[in-house]
Amino acid sequence: MRIIKAPDYQSMSRMAANIISAQIIMKPKCVLGLATGSTPLGIYAQLIDWYKKGDLDFSEVQTINLDEYKGLAPDNDQSYRYFMNQNLFNHINIDMKNTYVPDGLEMDSEKACNDYNNIILNSGGVDMQLLGLGNNGHIGFNEPDEAFEKMTHCVKLAESTVQANSRFFETIDEVPKEAYTMGIKSIMQARKIVVVVNGSGKAQIVKDAFFGPVTPKVPASVLQLHNDVTLVGDAEALALLDL
Ligand code: F6R
């Protein structure tokens, strides 16, 4: 595993964006695995900036996102499809037909997950997967104790997650109770993985995930078994590592 320590969020974002743009430049028809959440926002802003300056071309790139809430339409501002359109896709020259997010409107979970597995398979596999890290070590929506061998599957959201999300909806009934996520096995099949972390709140889990035992109790710890992982973090998130 490579560990890249950046002084702050801005430089962490620029370094991770540099790694992603190198991937695009070396293989213009590449498949990028993408994540939502707050950590990658600076990376997406940087990629947009370089695209606008003429340094990056997304015309042949395919993207495959990690996860989506079951039951949310693409135009719902809480959906991950909406997030990706707003924060990246609408601002670059990617062909929208080449951007994939699990279909939140497909209520048949088995079909939604099989379709997504086929999309990944037909793409030829993810060249570079970008991951954020949950405070409890989750990756995608793979929470502690999720089996390592799963491909895309439907997960029930913890009651605490449903409660926390309820502030974004008018009634609790509208809050998604389930989500589709690429499984640990799907994530581990990516050729390269880039994990981004920032802030002191992530320091302990970064240490546990990358230097503690490999266990389903800390889903991200499985990444220790992948042979091409780059961890890019700011000084606060990497503070507990003995580098
Ligand atoms: C997002 C995702 C999540 C986040 C994680 C970290 O698609 O799958 O696993 O990467 O929750 O979120 P932030 O970046 O908001 O700390």
Side-chain angles (χ1 to χ4, degrees):
M1 183 181 51
R2 271 168 238 106
I3 302 180
I4 300 178
K5 189 171 180 173
D8 52 30
Y9 178 74
Q10 198 88 19
S11 14
M12 178 213 82
S13 303
R14 211 168 43 245
M15 286 183 190
N18 255 311
I19 295 171
I20 295 171
S21 31
Q23 171 67 55
I24 299 170
I25 292 165
M26 298 297 279
K27 186 179 177 190
K29 207 177 160 71
C30 65
V31 181
L32 298 179
L34 297 181
T36 60
S38 54
T39 317
L41 282 171
I43 300 173
Y44 296 152
Q46 182 64 77
L47 292 174
I48 293 167
D49 185 46
W50 285 334
Y51 161 70
K52 288 193 171 151
K53 288 182 172 141
D55 290 339
L56 270 181
D57 176 15
F58 291 85
S59 59
E60 293 185 287
V61 173
Q62 269 190 52
T63 63
I64 299 185
N65 260 78
L66 281 169
D67 40 18
E68 178 60 288
Y69 289 114
K70 179 177 175 181
L72 290 196
D75 61 354
N76 185 307
D77 63 7
Q78 295 305 314
S79 76
Y80 286 175
R81 158 58 74 181
Y82 186 91
F83 174 102
M84 289 309 300
N85 288 353
Q86 289 291 110
N87 293 299
L88 182 64
F89 301 150
N90 286 346
H91 311 285
I92 56 176
N93 67 333
I94 199 160
D95 184 344
M96 278 291 183
K97 291 199 297 295
N98 289 337
T99 69
Y100 297 97
V101 178
D103 182 358
L105 288 183
E106 176 56 71
M107 297 314 275
D108 177 344
S109 300
E110 205 180 311
K111 179 171 185 321
C113 296
N114 283 339
D115 287 353
Y116 211 60
N117 286 334
N118 284 330
I119 286 168
I120 301 171
L121 198 67
N122 293 335
S123 74
V126 172
D127 289 300
M128 180 173 279
Q129 176 69 56
L130 178 65
L131 292 178
L133 178 65
N135 289 320
N136 60 359
H138 74 216
I139 44 178
F141 265 117
N142 297 286
E143 299 293 346
D145 288 327
E146 189 69 273
F148 281 168
E149 61 270 23
K150 285 192 184 166
M151 301 291 283
T152 309
H153 59 289
C154 181
V155 291
K156 271 203 171 2
L157 301 182
E159 189 49 40
S160 54
T161 309
V162 175
Q163 285 298 337
N165 286 346
S166 64
R167 67 188 189 278
F168 301 119
F169 296 85
E170 285 191 359
T171 67
I172 190 94
D173 292 339
E174 290 172 44
V175 186
K177 313 286 184 301
E178 293 177 305
Y180 296 133
T181 184
M182 274 166 61
I184 303 266
K185 186 169 177 185
S186 341
I187 293 171
M188 288 293 280
Q189 286 176 350
R191 293 180 188 97
K192 293 175 223 149
I193 296 181
V194 177
V195 188
V196 286
V197 286
N198 74 288
S200 55
K202 295 275 168 79
Q204 186 60 49
I205 194 63
V206 167
K207 187 175 180 200
D208 294 347
F210 295 99
F211 294 91
V214 174
T215 161
K217 300 214 170 310
V218 183
S221 65
V222 74
L223 300 173
Q224 293 180 43
L225 305 179
H226 193 282
N227 64 12
D228 197 332
V229 173
T230 306
L231 172 66
V232 189
D234 72 354
E236 286 184 353
L238 303 189
L240 299 181
L241 305 188
D242 197 6
L243 296 176

